[in-house]
Amino acid sequence: MAKQVAAVWVPVTDMKRATAFYRDVLGLAVTMESDDWTELDAGGLTIGLNGRETAETADHGGAVISFHPETSIEEALDDLKQRGGHVQGDISEHSWGRIFPFRDTEGNDLQFYTPPAG
């Protein structure tokens, strides 16, 4: 049915604040920016930040974007905490890999993920 991901977009209330988070905290490159739509390069996948029409932030549910860390997952957790990220839990171990959840400035759920060793 589905061939590939066509787009990933995240609803945001404050475009400047959200853009700063994805650019400055996560280190993604901004490829296009406007008041109601911003695009970031996440290793060849474009993430779009879409301005909300209402001034509410999300507090649960919806899509989750999972990122591979550039370093170890432990270093990514420490770095995110130092940069002011909204970490939602510790690293958890699963048969399919390791994750830790966090949120962006708009309340959207994100996570860092590493596959199982071996």
Side-chain angles (χ1 to χ4, degrees):
M1 288 258 193
K3 180 178 171 181
Q4 64 189 40
V5 175
V8 173
W9 62 269
V10 178
V12 303
T13 303
D14 185 323
M15 186 61 71
K16 289 187 188 308
R17 179 180 67 197
T19 299
F21 175 81
Y22 283 84
R23 180 191 61 228
D24 302 338
V25 174
L26 294 182
L28 303 180
V30 175
T31 59
M32 186 268 191
E33 187 172 3
S34 72
D35 290 340
D36 60 356
W37 180 259
T38 296
E39 293 180 0
L40 303 116
D41 178 21
L45 173 69
T46 297
I47 296 176
L49 304 180
N50 186 42
R52 292 182 192 262
E53 293 184 16
T54 62
E56 295 179 19
T57 58
D59 63 356
H60 65 285
V64 174
I65 301 174
S66 186
F67 297 95
H68 285 290
E70 292 179 318
T71 59
S72 72
I73 197 165
E74 291 83 4
E75 289 176 87
L77 176 60
D78 291 342
D79 196 29
L80 190 64
K81 286 179 179 178
Q82 288 177 6
R83 292 177 184 225
H86 303 282
V87 176
Q88 301 297 303
D90 291 322
I91 297 169
S92 59
E93 306 271 344
H94 307 274
S95 61
W96 42 263
R98 303 171 74 205
I99 64 166
F100 74 83
F102 62 101
R103 289 195 175 147
D104 69 10
T105 55
E106 309 305 298
N108 295 299
D109 292 320
L110 308 170
Q111 65 181 214
F112 272 106
Y113 162 78
T114 56

